[in-house]
Amino acid sequence: MKDLISNCFICEEKALHVAGTEEAQVMQCINCGYTTSTKFTGTKETNEHFQKLGEDMKNWAVEKQDKIWIPSIITLPIGMLYPVNIKVPNDKENKIMKWAFAPMVEIPEDKRKDFPNPSVPGKFYDKKIDTDNAVVYDLFIEGMTKINELLKQEASGGE
């Protein structure tokens, strides 16, 4: 089956990318950032994959078209775009989901010993995703625009 672009069931923009077959299909909206797949068919109450998600992801999930839609987490060599809970100003209890982009950064040589690579005993990571210095966006598409700019900049040699 060819990939196609359709209207998103969540935000209604023509930005929903559909890939795969009915047995293994993924739907990803590049406007609102929500995604689903064949493993998230049904309801929150009955879907076993949904039950394994973390509490934030469960709270952000939306049911539409007999699917459970969850916010995307996009990890690239330049960094990661992911959903975050942000406190609502002047409201101690409520939070709102926004999107954060954390860049991939070099780990200083003298700090690498603090980042062991469990897949390769005795070796250490030389880069990390810097969530301490993430930039927060109101909209997923704003974060994607930043990623696009960074990728273009990298492709042109950093100019």
Side-chain angles (χ1 to χ4, degrees):
M1 177 183 185
K2 286 184 116 179
D3 294 357
L4 63 99
I5 300 174
S6 182
N7 285 30
C8 177
F9 298 107
I10 306 297
C11 70
E12 299 179 355
E13 292 292 325
K14 188 170 178 115
L16 182 67
H17 291 246
V18 181
T21 63
E22 284 187 30
E23 297 82 36
Q25 189 177 68
V26 175
M27 292 187 249
Q28 164 74 56
C29 181
I30 61 167
N31 183 67
C32 70
Y34 272 77
T35 187
T36 191
S37 69
T38 48
K39 73 179 187 178
F40 285 106
T41 300
T43 66
K44 294 176 184 181
E45 291 75 29
T46 61
N47 186 284
E48 65 183 75
H49 297 285
F50 176 79
Q51 299 305 322
K52 295 175 186 175
L53 296 174
E55 285 307 306
D56 282 339
M57 199 61 80
K58 285 180 180 178
N59 290 331
W60 296 325
V62 175
E63 289 178 292
K64 286 266 179 147
Q65 299 296 113
D66 195 38
K67 297 271 189 198
I68 302 164
W69 297 76
I70 58 173
S72 300
I73 299 172
I74 298 179
T75 306
L76 299 166
I78 62 165
M80 180 171 71
L81 182 63
Y82 57 100
V84 291
N85 263 333
I86 302 293
K87 291 180 183 174
V88 175
N90 304 318
D91 186 337
K92 293 179 183 174
E93 294 182 26
N94 291 314
K95 295 179 180 178
I96 187 168
M97 187 189 85
K98 296 202 179 223
W99 298 91
F101 176 75
M104 182 73 72
V105 297
E106 195 83 23
I107 300 171
E109 193 80 41
D110 62 332
K111 302 276 187 211
R112 292 182 184 173
K113 66 185 179 319
D114 299 331
F115 298 91
N117 183 337
S119 303
V120 188
K123 298 288 182 179
F124 302 89
Y125 289 109
D126 59 358
K127 292 182 181 178
K128 69 173 186 166
I129 293 175
D130 189 6
T131 55
D132 294 332
N133 292 301
V135 177
V136 176
Y137 298 95
D138 289 333
L139 303 173
F140 178 81
I141 192 70
E142 294 170 340
M144 286 298 291
T145 300
K146 179 62 175 178
I147 287 171
N148 189 36
E149 290 169 5
L150 290 171
L151 289 171
K152 283 181 181 177
Q153 187 177 34
E154 190 177 275
S156 67
E159 296 174 15

